[in-house]
Amino acid sequence: MNASYQRRKADRPEEILNAALDVFVRDGYDASRLADIAAEAGVSKGLLYHYFDSKEALFRAVVEQEVTPRLEEMTRLIGQLEIPIAQFMKQMLPELMAAVLASRAGVVIRLVIANGAQHPEITRYYFDNIIARGEAMLKALIQRGVDNGEFRESALQTQPMLLMAPAILCQVWGMLFGEYRALDNAALLREHMGLMVSAVETQATTP
Amino acid sequence: MNASYQRRKADRPEEILNAALDVFVRDGYDASRLADIAAEAGVSKGLLYHYFDSKEALFRAVVEQEVTPRLEEMTRLIGQLEIPIAQFMKQMLPELMAAVLASRAGVVIRLVIANGAQHPEITRYYFDNIIARGEAMLKALIQRGVDNGEFRESALQTQPMLLMAPAILCQVWGMLFGEYRALDNAALLREHMGLMVSAVETQATTP
Amino acid sequence: MNASYQRRKADRPEEILNAALDVFVRDGYDASRLADIAAEAGVSKGLLYHYFDSKEALFRAVVEQEVTPRLEEMTRLIGQLEIPIAQFMKQMLPELMAAVLASRAGVVIRLVIANGAQHPEITRYYFDNIIARGEAMLKALIQRGVDNGEFRESALQTQPMLLMAPAILCQVWGMLFGEYRALDNAALLREHMGLMVSAVETQATTP
Amino acid sequence: MNASYQRRKADRPEEILNAALDVFVRDGYDASRLADIAAEAGVSKGLLYHYFDSKEALFRAVVEQEVTPRLEEMTRLIGQLEIPIAQFMKQMLPELMAAVLASRAGVVIRLVIANGAQHPEITRYYFDNIIARGEAMLKALIQRGVDNGEFRESALQTQPMLLMAPAILCQVWGMLFGEYRALDNAALLREHMGLMVSAVETQATTP
DNA sequence: TATGAATGAGATTTCATTCAT
DNA sequence: TATGAATGAAATCTCATTCAT
């Protein structure tokens, strides 16, 4: 009782955010009750308001906490690549993406897909910090492939989001149809990357 | 007066469904108020209950009304194809899909993406009637391409949803980020189909 | 059950306003609970919101309903005066004022005194519709007395509110100290008017 | 650091009372939050409870601290009067009263007017210590005027509160309508006293 | 003394649903 | 069919008060 007071105090915001994310994703933002989040976090309803101004602020905090680290991790990784781009895209990238989709960040993605529309501030933040930067990162990746002769010029240079499309499909599918038929995300993403790469690869690399 | 009154009476359910779809997509299912839907449809709140048992039933009806016709139309069209599969996929299919995304059916897709997760009966219905059949249709299409020598064997045969992934991306993007940067859906879909087809085409067709 | 539905429907807003005034004055605006007002009015909490947008709107409505009629009544009466001003002020006016103080309008006065400070819109309305007009009425009354030779020039012409001061005292006293010692409002007002009149009367009238 | 810390420690209760009075009058008792009072006083919420048992006790303390000194001051002053009563009432009393109304004691008066009704213990205290004693003081003052031949017998002897009525008017007006039109309290009180005195003065004094 | 995290009861407000007409 | 008054359950948010440190 006495031991944990100080320590737990420091953890409270995070515990609350964890609980909130779980409940938001499980029940949907609107249907989520602060009472459930509080119960899940093991605190009182009132304490939520000690740390967050409103339900919406809690939503925002949930999104913002998870957003940046993952992307920076991946950006760093891509910057340090020492293998050919094509190989990275066909082998590592699908695994990485599948891992993200299955992580807390992936849950946040689901949350934003389902509930972002009514929260412009949050989607704006997400757009600026994830979408725009993720797009830029992919664009740079493709361009490196073109520059080093692995890839020919293609629509992927202007529409890099085409690489990500199946990831969105995976999350939407998981939200809606996962119970009826599960998707093998990693496999799906691997096949997609394989097709995409083979579409833009220069002849030289195939044989 | 009499004539139009009679006509309007008969149209009431449809007008209500139209209003409901609009409001559901605009405000999200949970935040949508029956009072608003009634006002939008120009009827009283009470009358809603004459035609639909509950808010959830209204949601279901909105989804079910729009679901079948479009898909059957497209199935018929594909069945009658007289041009090469590759050509169809690169030229007609993107336009068709873009048209669907912009139609009422496309709005229903958004509705289901955002709000389906908490309504298993509705997603079940959608899965059985749209997803499963759409998937089968695509599978058959690809297979015809393989059978007639246009396409080589590929992952597309087992993962035909990869063809649809960008359509989901378009709808999610439109819901969340459309205000910040609009996507050219038709172009995006065309590029995607172009890349996919070029990935699976047999040598013969390219030159 | 069936007989009263229509009739009572029409009376609902008024019944609610009556209940609200009672509870507001009894408990103070802030401490008044909508639940109590609803109970007092014999309706559900929800119905309050059918007629009034918010607790504050209910407050506003309570004030506005009672404000105008009384003042117009008195304005009319004063306009038609056929007795000397001094006689009116010493005999009728105290009775009239005491009657107002004891009426619903008097209760509204207490409500505004105690709770107006945090509701600028309401005090603004009250100021424009009661204070300013009441002041003008009193000014005109005094002036008529001066014009017809009953009164000499005096500070009452520029500070007519001095006539009303004891009325405020009565209401404040009643709110705070009525339980400990009741004031005889009519007597107090009569003495005040007597003193005031005797202070401004021309010599002619006294003997 | 040590010195000022010690001094501040001793002043804490008073600083808290000052803050409480400000916030109570600004926001009204019910709407005032202990957190705001604590912030205004520069202490923590918890410390409030070290000095005062509850919000109500704080209210009580605010009223009680300010109540006695002023009245005793004035009682002493009146006891030592060496000028004629009429002159005192017309010249000094209005200034004194205006000064009180503008002082902390005047703010307490507003506080009691607006919020006393729901706090019988506090109004009881106020009634016994201010109202009853103030009334007695005024009564004695008038009586001295009668005894020394300045004033004739009048209702003021039994209703001395009539002298104070405009003071209440001033405070109520200041609370509610001060923003819309300020009152010149000193002038108003002077006019009132002038009229009252001239109503009860014996002939002898006027010429 | 002093802090502010934590609680819990309660208040306003919303809204799907029902029902008298 | 059609209305909208009426209900009641629930949800967000507030805040005086307590208590571990």
Side-chain angles (χ1 to χ4, degrees), chain C residues 148-170:
Chain C
N148 70 15
E150 286 183 73
F151 299 155
R152 59 176 174 78
E153 305 260 327
S154 77
L156 275 189
Q157 289 167 283
T158 53
Q159 309 272 32
M161 290 318 267
L162 286 178
L163 286 179
M164 302 304 298
I168 303 304
L169 174 65
C170 287

Side-chain angles (χ1 to χ4, degrees), chain C residues 26 118 120 123 135 180-181, chain D residues 26 118 120 123 135 180-181:
Chain C
R26 188 185 67 213
Q118 272 74 48
T123 49
E135 203 181 6
Y180 315 139
R181 173 157 38 102
Chain D
R26 188 185 67 211
Q118 274 74 48
T123 51
E135 204 181 4
Y180 313 141
R181 178 165 25 110

Side-chain angles (χ1 to χ4, degrees), chain C residues 24-28 30-31 112-121 123-124 126-127 131-132 135 152 154-156 158-159 161-162 165-166 168-169 172-173 175-177 180-181 184 187-188 191-192 195-196 198-200 203, chain D residues 24-28 30-31 112-121 123-124 126-127 131-132 135 152 154-156 158-159 161-162 165-166 168-169 172-173 175-177 180-181 184 187-188 191-192 195-196 198-200 203:
Chain C
F24 281 160
V25 165
R26 188 185 67 213
D27 298 340
D30 289 282
V112 172
I113 290 174
N115 305 103
Q118 272 74 48
H119 301 269
E121 286 184 30
T123 49
R124 179 83 240 182
Y126 199 83
F127 182 73
I131 303 301
E135 203 181 6
R152 59 176 174 78
S154 77
L156 275 189
T158 53
Q159 309 272 32
M161 290 318 267
L162 286 178
I168 303 304
L169 174 65
V172 169
W173 186 285
M175 284 163 56
L176 303 181
F177 312 124
Y180 315 139
R181 173 157 38 102
D184 181 342
L188 189 82
E191 307 293 13
H192 179 73
L195 289 167
M196 281 291 166
S198 88
V200 303
Q203 300 311 85
Chain D
F24 282 159
V25 165
R26 188 185 67 211
D27 298 340
D30 288 283
V112 172
I113 291 174
N115 304 104
Q118 274 74 48
H119 302 269
E121 286 183 31
T123 51
R124 179 84 240 181
Y126 199 83
F127 182 73
I131 303 300
E135 204 181 4
R152 58 177 176 78
S154 77
L156 276 189
T158 53
Q159 309 271 31
M161 290 318 267
L162 286 177
I168 303 303
L169 173 66
V172 170
W173 185 286
M175 284 163 57
L176 303 180
F177 313 126
Y180 313 141
R181 178 165 25 110
D184 181 342
L188 190 83
E191 307 291 14
H192 179 72
L195 288 166
M196 280 291 165
S198 89
V200 302
Q203 300 310 87

